[in-house]
Amino acid sequence: MRVRDIMIQDVYVAHERDVVRDVLKQFSMRRIGGMPIVSDDSRLVGYISDGDVMRALGKHYDMGPYLAFGAYFFPVDIDTFESSDIDSDSLRDNVLQVCAKNVMDIGRKRVISVSEDDDVVHVAELLAKKNIKKVPVVKEGKLIGIVSRGDVVRAVVQKFVTA
């Protein structure tokens, strides 16, 4: 079985001039945790994930990325936290600063990708070895699809379990 047989061709993408705020809206609206970043001519130039955003938030605020991320996207009463070190104005400023950044500032520029001709077993091994959830599919440098761990599992189940 080849990647072309299981890849998703209708891929949500970020463009290299987008800001993080726009990507986060897409993450929330589409219930996804990452997307390839493409140039105007559809060349794969990066990948941005919710983990990248959380790392960026953690760098901009000393209380940790998880709390910073959660406090912005899941509004809570910041005064209920026990720590007196938390300054809600500072948190808000730092989150807004990250949201205003270009996606290429926090996304990964070195992206692992596969070809549509690659074997699904190779993709499964790659996803497991690199501990990644999705891998872009490229042809001549241009994004043509994406394959997730779920796509691989569904393909295996279809072929061997339900057959």
Side-chain angles (χ1 to χ4, degrees):
M1 189 177 314
R2 300 286 169 207
V3 167
R4 77 171 56 81
D5 301 323
I6 68 166
M7 71 181 190
I8 303 300
Q9 293 179 26
D10 188 19
V11 182
Y12 302 122
V13 298
H15 296 275
E16 62 187 336
R17 288 186 303 271
D18 288 349
V19 294
V20 173
R21 176 186 302 279
D22 296 333
V23 168
L24 290 173
K25 287 179 185 176
Q26 292 297 314
F27 285 0
S28 177
M29 184 175 72
R30 301 187 187 287
R31 300 184 64 129
I32 58 175
M35 61 176 66
I37 304 170
V38 297
S39 63
D40 289 337
D41 64 351
S42 298
R43 293 208 171 275
L44 180 65
V45 296
Y47 194 91
I48 186 166
S49 70
D50 48 10
D52 297 323
V53 174
M54 290 176 70
R55 275 187 291 284
L57 288 169
K59 288 178 185 175
H60 286 271
Y61 201 76
D62 63 6
M63 63 188 251
Y66 293 97
L67 185 54
F69 189 80
Y72 183 74
F73 294 100
F74 306 100
V76 294
D77 181 2
I78 207 82
D79 296 328
T80 63
F81 289 107
E82 293 179 16
S83 171
S84 60
D85 298 334
I86 299 173
D87 174 1
S88 62
D89 290 334
S90 177
L91 172 60
R92 183 176 13 268
D93 292 346
N94 286 315
V95 169
L96 293 175
Q97 184 178 4
V98 169
C99 285
K101 286 186 168 291
N102 178 277
V103 293
M104 295 301 291
D105 291 340
I106 69 167
R108 298 178 188 269
K109 294 168 190 77
R110 294 180 64 188
V111 182
I112 297 168
S113 63
V114 297
S115 161
E116 65 183 330
D117 296 323
D118 284 341
D119 190 276
V120 171
V121 172
H122 164 72
V123 174
E125 291 169 348
L126 180 68
L127 292 170
K129 180 180 177 186
K130 298 293 185 178
N131 195 27
I132 54 178
K133 296 176 184 176
K134 300 174 187 168
V135 63
V137 182
V138 296
K139 183 176 185 175
E140 299 174 5
K142 293 188 178 188
L143 181 71
I144 62 167
I146 197 160
V147 175
S148 71
R149 291 187 293 201
D151 298 326
V152 172
V153 169
R154 279 186 290 281
V156 169
V157 167
Q158 274 185 325
K159 184 160 181 95
F160 299 110
V161 178
T162 61

